[in-house]
């Protein structure tokens, strides 16, 4: 259910559904499809639908590889990420968030990785130390492998096995390193946000996932 009075966070404009219209497997890959359509759920009506898939599997330390193609169109916001499994008891960002891949359709070739903690969360709070970015011109037409390697000492982000960014606070505290407990994986495509608009001509687009692999 949408947690924010019938909506999701960040000013997103979609409803997530459990319909095969928005998430399905075909020809060996998973598609998460964002669509422009009016949809009413939990007492609120939105003009876009999509899907958000949470893994039942959760783990501590290891590597995640996700081979994916990203959607296109201004307003799309696909993400491959993890959240602390204790989010319902400690809340966000105390649970910790690891963004393996984020992409915004209005800034189409930039792919980003990030960390959110109590010490460092949100777009304007210390972005210089928490974000790794790379230009990927064929993000929507070719598969790329988005990876995260997590140990007790560091979290490293890779794109096609090229290191983008390492997060490793020299002095680790609960505020800057909540990553001592299980996390679970999320795949989703949001539509719109507080700081960017959706292209009025957007119709639909999909994130295509070839595989999600976890190594421990």
């Amino acid at each position: 259910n949408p947690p924010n009075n019938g909506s999701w966070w960040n000013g997103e404009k979609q409803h997530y559904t459990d319909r095969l219209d928005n998430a399905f497997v075909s020809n060996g890959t998973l598609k998460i499809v964002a669509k422009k359509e009016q949809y009413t759920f939990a007492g609120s009506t939105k003009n876009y639908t999509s899907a958000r898939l949470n893994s039942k599997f959760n783990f501590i330390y290891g590597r995640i590889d996700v081979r994916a193609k990203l959607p296109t169109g201004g307003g799309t916001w696909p993400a491959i990420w993890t959240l602390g499994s204790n989010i319902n008891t400690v809340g966000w960002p105390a649970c910790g968030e690891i963004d393996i891949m984020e992409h915004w359709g209005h800034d189409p070739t930039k792919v980003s990785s990030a960390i959110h903690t109590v010490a460092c969360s949100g777009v304007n709070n210390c972005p210089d130390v928490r974000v790794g970015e790379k230009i990927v011109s064929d993000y929507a037409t070719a598969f790329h492998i988005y990876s995260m390697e997590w140990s007790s000492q560091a979290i490293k982000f890779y794109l096609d096995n090229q290191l983008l960014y390492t997060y490793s606070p020299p002095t680790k505290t609960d505020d800057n390193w909540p990553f001592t407990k299980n996390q679970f994986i999320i795949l989703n495509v949001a539509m719109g946000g507080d700081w960017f608009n959706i292209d009025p001509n957007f119709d639909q687009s999909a994130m295509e996932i070839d595989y999600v692999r976890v190594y421990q």
Side-chain angles (χ1 to χ4, degrees), residues 29-108:
T29 64
L30 167 69
K31 282 80 170 178
I32 298 177
V33 186
K35 295 189 168 199
K36 184 178 185 176
E37 60 176 333
Q38 201 167 79
Y39 189 83
T40 301
F41 180 73
S44 72
T45 299
K46 304 288 185 187
N47 292 318
Y48 301 89
T49 62
S50 188
R52 171 179 168 136
L53 307 184
N54 294 0
S55 68
K56 293 181 179 178
F57 172 78
N58 64 125
F59 70 103
I60 181 169
Y61 307 141
R63 179 181 171 110
I64 299 173
D65 288 342
V66 180
R67 187 170 185 261
K69 289 182 187 176
L70 307 184
T72 60
T76 56
W77 183 2
I80 299 165
W81 52 305
T82 72
L83 277 174
S85 303
N86 60 348
I87 186 170
N88 290 330
T89 53
V90 304
W92 183 93
C95 64
E97 175 180 327
I98 304 171
D99 296 328
I100 302 168
M101 187 290 304
E102 280 188 283
H103 178 266
W104 291 271
H106 67 278
D107 197 0

Side-chain angles (χ1 to χ4, degrees), residues 51-216:
R52 171 179 168 136
L53 307 184
N54 294 0
S55 68
K56 293 181 179 178
F57 172 78
N58 64 125
F59 70 103
I60 181 169
Y61 307 141
R63 179 181 171 110
I64 299 173
D65 288 342
V66 180
R67 187 170 185 261
K69 289 182 187 176
L70 307 184
T72 60
T76 56
W77 183 2
I80 299 165
W81 52 305
T82 72
L83 277 174
S85 303
N86 60 348
I87 186 170
N88 290 330
T89 53
V90 304
W92 183 93
C95 64
E97 175 180 327
I98 304 171
D99 296 328
I100 302 168
M101 187 290 304
E102 280 188 283
H103 178 266
W104 291 271
H106 67 278
D107 197 0
T109 61
K110 188 187 297 178
V111 173
S112 180
S113 302
I115 292 281
H116 295 276
T117 66
V118 170
C120 193
S121 68
V123 174
N124 297 316
N125 184 357
C126 55
D128 54 317
V129 298
R130 66 172 185 87
V131 175
E133 293 179 342
K134 184 170 174 61
I135 299 299
V136 183
S137 58
D138 59 352
Y139 66 94
T141 56
F143 281 105
H144 292 278
I145 300 172
Y146 301 96
S147 304
M148 178 271 285
E149 211 168 67
W150 170 25
S151 72
S152 61
Q153 296 305 307
I155 296 172
K156 298 181 178 182
F157 298 93
Y158 299 86
L159 201 160
D160 296 327
N161 290 313
Q162 179 184 350
L163 181 65
L164 286 186
Y165 169 52
T166 300
Y167 180 74
S168 181
T171 303
K172 293 179 171 59
T173 67
D174 287 344
D175 281 356
N176 68 19
W177 189 261
F179 306 109
T180 58
K181 300 180 178 69
N182 284 349
Q183 297 253 325
F184 65 95
I185 302 167
I186 304 171
L187 307 172
N188 72 291
V189 180
M191 286 299 301
D194 289 327
W195 67 97
F196 61 94
N197 296 318
I198 300 171
D199 180 348
N201 296 315
F202 177 85
D203 179 43
Q204 71 173 56
S205 190
M207 176 160 66
E208 185 175 358
I209 307 288
D210 182 30
Y211 58 70
V212 178
R213 296 175 180 169
V214 176
Y215 303 91
Q216 286 186 280

